Amino acid sequence: MKKNLILLLLLGLFFKAGAQNVSLKKGWKLAIGDSPEWSSPGFDDKGWQNADVSKSWELQGHPSYDGFGWYRLHVVIPSSIKEKAYLKDSLLISLGSIDDNDEVYLNGTLIGKYGGRGGDIKSSHYGPRSYKIAANNPAILWDRENVLAIRVYDTGGDGGMYGSNFNVHMADIMEGVHFDTNSDFSYGDKNSLGKSIKIVTANRYAYKGTLSFTVTDPETGAVILSKKTDTAHFTAGTPFSWWFTFSAAKKRSYLITYTFKDRRSGVELSETETTPYILTPALAKTPKINGADVFGVRPGHPVLYLIPATGLKPLTYRAKGLPSGLKLNPATGIITGVVDKEGSYPLVLTVTNRKGSATKKFTLAIGDNIGLTPALGWNSWNAWGLSVNDEKVRTSAREMAQRLSAHGWSYINIDDGWEAEKRTDDGKIVANSKFPDMKGLTDFVHGLGLRMGIYSSPGPRTCGGYLGSWQHEDDDALTYGEWGIDYLKYDWCSYGEIAPHHPNLDEMKKPYQVMRSSLNKASRDILFSFCQYGMGDVWNWGAEVGGNSWRTTGDITDTWNSMSGIGFSQDKAAPLAGPGHFNDPDMLVVGKVGWGPSLHNTRLTFDEQYTHISLWSLLSSPLLIGCDMGHLDRFTLSLLTNDEVIAIDQDALGKSARQYIKKDGYQVWVKELKDGGKAIGLFNTADKYQTISLSKTNAALKGYTKFRDVWRQQNIAAVGGSIAPHGVLLIRVEK
Ligand code: GLA
């Protein structure tokens, strides 16, 4: 929603300042393949298919297609767009997002390109694209028809050029100016919030003007606070910083709009964000045991299980019924050892501190089925992308141990970017210089009671262009075993070059079968996470091929469109989830994300983040935190430590919620739980407040009498209420 609002405000800006823009949303043609002739303005593209640039090419008749494709558009660029712009020297061409890399030709001239690592167009660099060119560049044909030709290369998963921001406009005075709203909110007494924002530019122009700030109630539209300062001055290297506080009347998100108006040019820039509100109650000092009720390990393989418990420290841990071969460290709560005999071992766990004690029944299932509840952990990709390194992984592990493992979080997974360029002479995979000691790092993670995950591709190269496991599957599984790896994400990527162009089901399964049998030779449990973006409806065969989870979609990003588009389309795969094998709608986009060295606050609103965690928990998805763990703000921490919400994800029945109601502005999803209860998500998918309820006579509630608001951890009288735009009410019902 924030994005829509910004868009609206930006449109407002165009009208106010008169800096017109030419839409590039309609009229595109698409061809799959590659030819140098396709950049030429004279090429006849009439026979090409009409392209819809709001969606990937997979959704336009090219399922599972990876490789080159071209988009062409004939468009008149009127010189009138220069007239009202304050600055008239450059033109900006915005092309939505490109998945993954591109070259842009205007009337046959290459005016820009975006490649992956080392400029190689074949390595992944998915993301938004805008190209700036001088207004006097002879490639632009003012007031005449221009031909824009975009050569796109997709490395894997969804591909093409798609998104919402497609236009040409003058790069006016506010181009290159932005509000930096990335600092964390601070929380005072009585719902009061504070924050510092900055207006930043790299332009040398001296901006002087007013900054106004309004807080709006999104339900009524009423402006509840408005402030203005005349002293906003900034230029390159000297941002304007401003600290504000305000008291929120209710526990909900408000809209804050910042508007800067430059006095000399009269041009304005606006941005809107929402305010956080925390629902998760503060932790009690008395002990409480959290996490799943069951944990599976193969016989003869090492057990590593940290009993997740909260309460005033120090805590003392005990376990009754531990099978021989296992021991529990009473001070850390870490269970280690090996059990040779298959069986279901019922344990009674007890945790004590000076405020009291708590017990919990727990089952250790020694057998072939592992990953009995969805993995809870962290993965480096959505935060650091290819810039992940040893230090960042250690920071995440330390933070997880300090703040999250007490709630059941346990995996520290390194995604792409750890691999060397070359194997050793005897074919062994080695890490690159960012990971000087992989075994040492794994030992460190294990020492904290956590588990370690790694990433590879069945192809010769990973999506990021690093070494994959092609023809070295046994070597790699052996190395992972030696390092002590507990989880492997196996990403199709360049396997597209090995498999035939339109692989059939057997061909899609093959690389996963090969690695499965290699992993089976390791003498430890390694959860196997398939990443091939849902090709061939993987949910129908992922379990049979030995996957513990499988991605059902292309890559997520931190927008409402992406998150809700993925989350609300999971019903088809839902019946196939079960203990040991789960659908994976991709990793979480809460907290500070960035897919590279510089991070930003997720662009999801706070209500959208509640929706994200609620929906993923209802779907029994692996929950893999994708943010910088070194800077977990208070809100994000509250999202990730609500034990009643996590319990829905970790429910031992392992079923996924089903879509129960789907209407234009709302949806209801229902998940069956092990204790005979249900978890129900009422989602407001509209842009305005709505009251959404299920009446007590609704079939889903028949026989249920106890209702609980899970985020607030409070019993409630009825299932429903007023729900914020893109927000949720997550409810647990019992008989
Ligand atoms: C693909 C996957 C992502 C990530 C990157 C790494 O895009 O879908 O989750 O692993 O590759 O390059």
Side-chain angles (χ1 to χ4, degrees):
M1 190 191 65
K2 176 173 161 187
K3 198 167 130 199
N4 292 341
L5 270 166
I6 293 171
L7 202 71
L8 276 176
L9 287 159
L10 284 175
L11 286 175
L13 173 77
F14 285 130
F15 291 125
K16 262 189 234 146
Q20 294 150 356
N21 97 84
V22 182
S23 170
L24 302 180
K25 273 197 172 143
K26 298 246 153 71
W28 289 94
K29 295 279 191 177
L30 165 66
I32 291 301
D34 194 25
S35 159
E37 282 170 47
W38 295 351
S39 67
S40 157
F43 176 78
D44 181 3
D45 54 30
K46 283 200 196 67
W48 285 18
Q49 77 175 97
N50 294 325
D52 175 352
V53 290
S54 72
K55 42 188 179 203
S56 67
W57 60 38
E58 270 78 6
L59 298 174
Q60 299 179 72
H62 309 287
S64 318
Y65 176 72
D66 303 332
F68 284 102
W70 283 72
Y71 291 80
R72 286 171 59 96
L73 178 75
H74 299 249
V75 59
V76 174
I77 305 179
S79 54
S80 60
I81 64 170
K82 281 193 269 189
E83 280 160 24
K84 289 185 187 156
Y86 186 77
L87 299 182
K88 303 175 197 293
D89 42 2
S90 3
L91 192 70
L92 254 190
I93 304 180
S94 299
L95 298 171
S97 283
I98 305 274
D99 196 349
D100 293 289
N101 306 306
D102 55 299
E103 288 170 3
V104 178
Y105 296 86
L106 181 62
N107 301 313
T109 305
L110 180 67
I111 57 160
K113 65 177 179 177
Y114 205 93
R117 221 158 54 92
D120 174 7
I121 197 168
K122 290 196 175 177
S123 76
S124 158
H125 247 269
Y126 168 63
R129 297 285 188 279
S130 273
Y131 291 97
K132 191 169 176 179
I133 54 169
N136 62 4
N137 187 322
I140 310 171
L141 303 177
W142 290 101
D143 297 314
R144 284 159 46 206
E145 183 182 272
N146 292 261
V147 178
L148 260 174
I150 323 294
R151 180 183 186 227
V152 176
Y153 184 81
D154 172 32
T155 59
D158 293 345
M161 175 174 79
Y162 51 93
S164 52
N165 187 23
F166 284 91
N167 62 66
V168 179
H169 62 270
M170 299 306 295
D172 208 346
I173 197 149
M174 292 302 173
E175 216 64 63
V177 178
H178 71 274
F179 289 96
D180 179 345
T181 56
N182 280 320
S183 76
D184 293 339
F185 279 92
S186 69
Y187 298 76
D189 292 345
K190 295 202 183 117
N191 265 353
S192 86
L193 290 169
K195 178 164 173 159
S196 149
I197 62 151
K198 284 184 193 153
I199 321 180
V200 186
T201 186
N203 300 342
R204 276 206 295 255
Y205 177 85
Y207 294 84
K208 283 191 178 149
T210 51
L211 172 66
S212 43
F213 156 91
T214 52
V215 181
T216 314
D217 182 327
E219 189 167 15
T220 59
V223 173
I224 58 170
L225 185 68
S226 174
K227 283 186 188 168
K228 203 170 186 170
T229 159
D230 283 330
T231 54
H233 298 179
F234 58 95
T235 189
T238 322
F240 177 69
S241 299
W242 194 59
W243 165 262
F244 67 84
T245 53
F246 90 98
S247 263
K250 294 184 188 158
K251 218 176 208 196
R252 63 155 58 154
S253 256
Y254 290 87
L255 299 174
I256 301 187
T257 303
Y258 313 102
T259 304
F260 169 71
K261 182 169 182 177
D262 180 59
R263 214 166 288 138
R264 197 174 348 153
S265 64
V267 181
E268 283 184 11
L269 180 75
S270 284
E271 184 167 319
T272 295
E273 67 171 327
T274 59
T275 62
Y277 63 107
I278 289 175
L279 295 178
T280 303
L283 281 174
K285 290 190 172 142
T286 48
K288 184 156 74 70
I289 306 180
N290 305 307
D293 296 342
V294 55
F295 183 66
V297 184
R298 294 205 176 91
H301 285 186
V303 174
L304 176 65
Y305 186 80
L306 165 69
I307 299 172
T310 46
L312 199 67
K313 286 184 176 144
L315 297 166
T316 309
Y317 301 78
R318 274 177 294 142
K320 239 174 50 199
L322 271 188
S324 83
L326 295 189
K327 63 175 195 304
L328 163 67
N329 180 325
T332 62
I334 301 175
I335 299 175
T336 51
V338 173
V339 186
D340 289 324
K341 206 164 151 271
E342 273 196 32
S344 175
Y345 297 88
L347 311 185
V348 178
L349 308 176
T350 302
V351 174
T352 312
N353 68 5
R354 62 185 168 81
K355 297 278 173 189
S357 78
T359 62
K360 171 175 165 143
K361 287 188 179 155
F362 182 79
T363 304
L364 192 64
I366 306 292
D368 264 346
N369 205 9
I370 61 167
L372 300 178
T373 62
L376 292 180
W378 174 82
N379 170 295
S380 54
W381 186 250
N382 292 352
W384 301 116
L386 297 176
S387 75
V388 61
N389 61 24
D390 177 283
E391 187 46 41
K392 286 169 173 153
V393 174
R394 281 176 199 259
T395 300
S396 300
R398 265 185 230 114
E399 292 294 322
M400 182 174 282
Q402 221 162 58
R403 314 218 255 173
L404 292 173
S405 61
H407 304 273
W409 299 89
S410 62
Y411 285 92
I412 291 290
N413 294 352
I414 308 173
D415 205 281
D416 204 355
W418 64 266
E419 315 86 337
E421 300 283 339
K422 257 182 72 203
R423 291 177 177 272
T424 61
D425 290 342
D426 54 354
K428 261 189 137 183
I429 185 85
V430 274
N432 59 43
S433 58
K434 294 185 293 155
F435 290 91
D437 178 10
M438 203 53 114
K439 169 93 174 72
L441 179 58
T442 308
D443 289 346
F444 171 76
V445 169
H446 286 167
L448 297 169
L450 307 174
R451 303 188 199 100
M452 180 80 166
I454 214 160
Y455 166 99
S456 188
S457 168
R461 278 171 293 103
T462 64
C463 293
Y466 288 88
L467 268 187
S469 295
W470 168 237
Q471 293 188 323
H472 287 280
E473 296 81 359
D474 272 356
D475 293 331
D476 289 358
L478 190 75
T479 304
Y480 302 155
E482 283 168 9
W483 286 343
I485 298 299
D486 306 292
Y487 186 113
L488 173 67
K489 170 173 171 181
Y490 207 45
D491 192 349
W492 179 269
C493 299
S494 68
Y495 192 79
E497 295 164 18
I498 308 293
H501 225 50
H502 288 287
N504 63 30
L505 263 190
D506 286 341
E507 287 153 351
M508 283 183 200
K509 288 177 186 174
K510 191 169 162 204
Y512 291 91
Q513 286 160 332
V514 171
M515 187 46 110
R516 174 72 270 168
S517 79
S518 300
L519 290 177
N520 288 348
K521 295 174 195 160
S523 52
R524 57 185 299 111
D525 286 354
I526 301 181
L527 282 193
F528 196 16
S529 146
F530 295 6
C531 176
Q532 44 83 288
Y533 338 111
M535 284 189 309
D537 293 351
V538 60
W539 45 91
N540 290 321
W541 49 266
E544 155 209 323
V545 175
N548 296 106
S549 65
W550 42 80
R551 280 270 297 276
T552 53
T553 74
D555 289 13
I556 196 168
T557 184
D558 57 327
T559 63
W560 168 250
N561 276 351
S562 169
M563 184 276 287
S564 67
I566 290 175
F568 291 121
S569 65
Q570 296 299 306
D571 192 53
K572 53 188 186 299
L576 284 309
H581 41 89
F582 296 99
N583 296 307
D584 173 5
D586 208 1
M587 302 171 291
L588 303 178
V589 281
V590 301
K592 295 195 191 318
V593 295
W595 292 270
S598 62
L599 305 185
H600 60 264
N601 285 335
T602 176
R603 289 172 292 165
L604 296 182
T605 67
F606 295 96
D607 283 301
E608 289 166 355
Q609 295 182 60
Y610 279 118
T611 289
H612 186 19
I613 302 297
S614 304
L615 185 53
W616 264 237
S617 299
L618 284 162
L619 295 171
S620 297
S621 310
L623 299 179
L624 294 170
I625 301 165
C627 67
D628 175 8
M629 296 273 282
H631 291 96
L632 275 177
D633 60 285
R634 202 169 136 190
F635 175 81
T636 309
L637 194 63
S638 80
L639 269 183
L640 301 173
T641 54
N642 191 311
D643 295 307
E644 294 196 19
V645 176
I646 297 173
I648 291 176
D649 180 71
Q650 294 291 300
D651 186 73
L653 192 61
K655 283 203 170 187
S656 166
R658 301 299 309 266
Q659 189 174 49
Y660 181 64
I661 299 177
K662 181 180 185 232
K663 296 278 183 208
D664 240 358
Y666 70 97
Q667 301 204 10
V668 178
W669 288 67
V670 179
K671 171 173 178 164
E672 289 172 38
L673 301 173
K674 176 104 194 219
D675 66 0
K678 289 176 182 176
I680 302 179
L682 309 176
F683 296 96
N684 178 1
T685 55
D687 291 337
K688 58 176 194 317
Y689 260 86
Q690 289 194 91
T691 298
I692 304 169
S693 337
L694 278 187
S695 88
K696 285 187 182 162
T697 56
N698 187 293
L701 295 182
K702 215 165 158 215
Y704 292 91
T705 52
K706 284 202 223 151
F707 311 135
R708 190 163 169 83
D709 179 327
V710 181
W711 280 105
R712 293 176 181 80
Q713 303 188 357
Q714 282 166 5
N715 295 336
I716 48 176
V719 176
S722 169
I723 305 180
H726 298 181
V728 62
L729 200 57
L730 183 63
I731 287 170
R732 186 168 180 140
V733 301
E734 277 174 53
K735 288 238 156 94

